[in-house]
């Protein structure tokens, strides 16, 4: 039977897939808008800023959910190096999904731009106006975006490796195929404490 | 997870690896496609700015176009007349501070003032609610071309021939022949003379925008400013003086502030909003929205306009971009120019080093 420690909590899974779509879309929007002089430049930029702030808010919510619902452990037989890579890449993803919107916001502040999320909603500046800071932050925004995309590729490649080749339940812990019921944090904690988790059927 | 791994049989493992590699390759190709790495002919902001540098050289720390100029400060006194058409705070009766910049088109910050007959005025209005309106205007009534692609072709045609140091007349002729929409601008340029003063010029926004009123109704508009000063000081442009515009402006401002009226022209049905080569008929209604008052000027190396990107798509609530294709291109190219000059300012690796002269002026 399915047990709660083999899957991520429902809010964690919903946030994961929602943010996956938003972050990947965001990277494509960013790359598209800086390489275009067409009307695409303007409308992609108009989406980029509010979407970035939405990702920042969701990342904070997600970390809170993760703190409340610890993720299932990796397979015990996973080589130590792969475990390390898994943990490091996850924390890198969390760091980047928090840092990218903040850097973008600080960069616009440093460039003296009003940070407009729409026609009339304006965020305050979070960095003093400075052309030097603008240039550094703008380049950082681009390089970290490339790093985020590479980390996403590694993450997706690893997920497929777990799902198709190792078939060790890591992919199904996030895709929700084995989660018949919504998981409450309390039951996760209870299951964790009793340690009575059982493997489910291979997805 | 206590679940033991159930590895795939060897036979289908290879297929799985191929599938994973294919998915990753597809993801790389997709972002490359969006980024234009697989479309080398796409016009990018970087290509536009590179062409400016190819035509006139690279002057580190300076704007890649309209490089020579001066900062000005003042305010806009709105009379409330445009309020019925735009809900922007700047049009409510009252005063909005302005940081502006007078400049010459072209990428050379040392170009003689008489080298081009065009002068420009860029303005940044900072509303009390923190929203901004930035606009860049020029002392002509039409733009030579209607699209970024045509503008790029024009820049390419203007690139100096290495043999002569001047644009190839045959290439220019071929460009104009292929772009009949340049006729109105060329007719204007034939009679245009470099003015002896920034103060006596009319500056035209050229691109159309939409004003949005309090009821959400959109009104297609263009704007320009007309000077109260009309008498150019003939002594200013005396022979041999290449920097008379900044001196004339400073001299006038020592006497009194300079004033322009902001005129907003309302389109009627059928007037093009996407073609800056075409003026609207003369009988279109214009509203005098208020007075632009310029009180002081400072050199651009130390003035408050230095670090401002006069991106025409920085707009307050109540003003929106039209479908003019030049607007996003200006916004994108200005952003690239701004990144280049601020990167040079920051001495980031890989940026052109600012020479002693440029550094001295930029500080």
């Amino acid at each position: 039977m399915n047990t709660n420690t083999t899957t991520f909590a429902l809010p964690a899974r919903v946030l994961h897939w929602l943010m996956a779509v938003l972050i990947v879309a965001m990277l494509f929007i960013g790359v598209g808008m800086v390489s275009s002089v067409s009307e695409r430049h303007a409308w992609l930029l108009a989406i980029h800023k509010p979407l970035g702030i939405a990702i920042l808010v969701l990342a904070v919510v997600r970390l809170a959910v993760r703190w409340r619902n610890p993720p299932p452990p990796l397979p015990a037989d996973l080589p130590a190096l792969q475990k390390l890579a898994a943990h490091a890449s996850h924390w890198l993803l969390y760091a980047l999904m928090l840092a990218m919107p903040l850097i973008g916001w600080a960069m616009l502040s440093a460039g003296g731009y009003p940070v407009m999320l729409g026609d009339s909603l304006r965020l305050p500046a979070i960095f003093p106006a400075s052309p030097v800071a603008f240039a550094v932050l703008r380049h950082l925004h681009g390089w970290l975006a490339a790093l985020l995309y590479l980390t996403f590729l590694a993450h997706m490649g690893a997920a497929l490796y777990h799902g198709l080749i190792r078939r060790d339940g890591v992919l199904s812990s996030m895709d929700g195929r084995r989660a018949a019921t919504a998981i409450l944090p309390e039951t996760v904690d209870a299951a964790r404490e009793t340690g009575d988790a059982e493997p489910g059927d291979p997805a | 997870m206590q679940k033991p791994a159930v590895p795939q049989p060897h036979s289908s493992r290879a297929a799985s690896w191929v599938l994973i590699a294919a998915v990753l390759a597809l993801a790389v190709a997709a972002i490359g496609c969006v980024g234009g790495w697989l479309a080398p002919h796409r016009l990018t902001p970087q290509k536009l700015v590179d062409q400016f540098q190819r035509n006139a050289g690279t002057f580190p720390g300076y704007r890649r176009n309209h490089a020579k100029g001066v900062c000005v400060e003042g305010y806009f006194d709105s009379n409330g007349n445009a309020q019925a058409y735009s809900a922007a705070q700047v049009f409510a009766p009252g005063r909005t501070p302005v940081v502006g910049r007078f400049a010459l088109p072209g990428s050379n910050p040392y170009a003689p003032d008489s080298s081009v007959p065009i002068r420009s005025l860029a303005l940044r209005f900072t509303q009390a609610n923190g929203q901004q309106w930035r606009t860049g205007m020029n002392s002509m009534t039409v733009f030579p071309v209607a699209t970024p692609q045509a503008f790029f072709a024009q820049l390419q045609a203007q690139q100096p021939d290495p043999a002569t140091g001047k644009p190839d007349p045959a290439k220019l002729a071929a460009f104009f022949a292929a772009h009949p929409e340049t006729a109105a601008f060329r007719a204007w340029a034939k009679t245009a003379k470099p003015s002896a003063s920034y103060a006596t010029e009319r500056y035209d926004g050229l691109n159309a925008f939409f004003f949005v009123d309090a009821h959400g109704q959109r009104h297609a508009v263009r704007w320009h400013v007309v000077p109260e000063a009309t008498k150019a000081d003939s002594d200013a442009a005396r022979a041999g003086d290449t920097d008379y515009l900044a001196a004339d402006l400073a001299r006038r401002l020592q006497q009194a502030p300079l004033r322009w009226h902001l005129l907003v022209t309302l389109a009627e049905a059928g007037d093009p909003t996407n073609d800056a080569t075409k003026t609207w008929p003369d009988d279109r209604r214009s509203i005098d929205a208020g007075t632009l008052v310029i009180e002081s000027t400072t050199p651009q190396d130390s003035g408050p306009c230095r670090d401002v990107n006069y991106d025409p798509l920085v707009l307050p609530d109540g003003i929106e971009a039209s479908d003019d294709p030049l607007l996003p291109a200006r916004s994108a190219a200005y952003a690239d120019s701004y990144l280049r000059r601020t990167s040079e300012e920051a001495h980031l690796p890989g940026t052109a080093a600012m020479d002693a002269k440029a550094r001295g002026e930029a500080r």
Side-chain angles (χ1 to χ4, degrees), chain A residues 58-84:
Chain A
L58 288 173
V60 172
V61 172
R62 187 165 171 189
L63 280 174
V65 166
R66 187 188 168 102
W67 177 70
R68 194 78 186 80
N69 309 277
L74 288 167
D77 64 334
L78 196 67
L81 198 63
Q82 287 189 34
K83 269 191 187 158
L84 179 71

Side-chain angles (χ1 to χ4, degrees), chain B residues 41-331:
Chain B
H41 296 292
R42 187 201 292 177
L43 181 58
T44 63
Q46 295 75 23
K47 275 191 203 168
L48 273 173
V49 179
D50 284 346
Q51 190 62 47
F52 274 111
Q53 294 182 176
R54 219 166 280 139
N55 288 14
T58 302
F59 297 91
Y62 287 95
R63 284 168 167 80
R64 282 352 190 211
N65 192 16
H66 295 252
K68 184 180 190 182
V70 291
C71 295
V72 291
E73 282 175 276
Y75 55 87
F76 175 65
D77 255 340
S78 169
N79 53 26
N81 289 345
Q83 220 179 354
Y85 302 92
S86 171
Q89 205 176 26
V90 64
F91 295 121
R95 189 166 284 194
T96 302
V98 169
V99 169
R101 184 171 179 272
F102 287 107
L104 302 185
S107 307
N108 183 349
Y110 311 110
D113 289 344
S114 56
S115 60
V116 277
I118 301 169
R119 283 81 176 87
S120 65
L121 172 59
L123 299 172
R124 182 191 72 185
F125 303 76
T126 304
Q127 298 182 165
N129 63 8
Q131 297 177 21
Q132 296 183 6
W133 175 26
R134 301 187 187 184
T135 178
M137 300 176 286
N138 283 281
S139 62
M140 63 222 195
T141 51
V142 288
F143 200 68
V145 291
T147 66
Q149 286 72 21
F151 184 65
F152 185 58
Q154 184 188 4
L155 286 179
Q156 286 181 310
Q158 288 169 335
Q159 184 176 334
D161 184 332
T164 61
K166 285 187 162 51
D168 180 348
K171 279 187 185 163
L172 277 175
F175 169 79
F176 287 128
H179 291 276
E181 76 274 20
T182 56
F185 174 78
R186 280 188 291 155
W188 174 86
K190 227 170 249 172
T191 57
K193 299 236 169 2
S195 79
S197 176
Y198 285 129
T200 53
E201 294 285 273
R202 160 190 162 143
Y203 299 91
D204 213 298
L206 301 174
N207 305 115
F209 289 81
F210 288 111
F211 274 11
V212 185
D213 65 30
H215 309 290
Q217 193 75 35
R218 303 207 306 173
H219 311 270
V221 298
R222 279 171 166 167
W223 54 72
H224 65 274
V225 294
V226 288
E228 283 190 358
T230 50
K231 192 175 170 295
D233 183 349
S234 55
D235 289 344
R238 67 184 178 278
D241 185 356
T242 57
D243 303 314
Y244 52 84
L245 288 171
D248 169 81
L249 186 67
R251 202 157 42 235
R252 286 172 187 261
L253 288 172
Q254 271 166 13
Q255 318 271 311
L258 292 165
R259 284 160 207 282
W260 282 259
H261 289 268
L262 174 66
L263 294 175
V264 177
T265 306
L266 295 162
E268 288 183 13
D271 291 346
T273 54
N274 61 353
D275 190 345
T277 69
K278 291 190 175 78
T279 54
W280 291 341
D282 287 336
D283 63 355
R284 294 296 179 257
R285 198 175 145 220
S286 279
I287 308 155
D288 183 339
T291 311
L292 171 70
V293 181
I294 297 298
E295 295 176 300
S296 64
T297 177
T298 39
Q300 65 168 342
D301 55 315
S302 55
C305 74
R306 187 190 71 174
D307 301 327
V308 178
N309 166 10
Y310 287 97
D311 175 345
L313 292 187
V314 173
L315 298 167
D317 194 18
I319 308 179
E320 287 178 3
S322 70
D323 53 349
D324 186 333
L326 291 175
L327 283 172
R330 286 176 70 185
S331 181

Side-chain angles (χ1 to χ4, degrees), chain A residues 131-133 135-136 139, chain B residues 60-61 306 339-356 358-360 362-363:
Chain A
V132 170
V136 170
H139 287 288
Chain B
R306 187 190 71 174
L339 177 59
R340 292 186 196 205
R341 64 190 182 92
T342 53
S343 298
E344 289 150 3
E345 201 54 41
H347 306 295
L348 294 183
T351 59
M354 292 168 76
D355 60 35
R359 190 173 295 139
R363 287 290 161 193

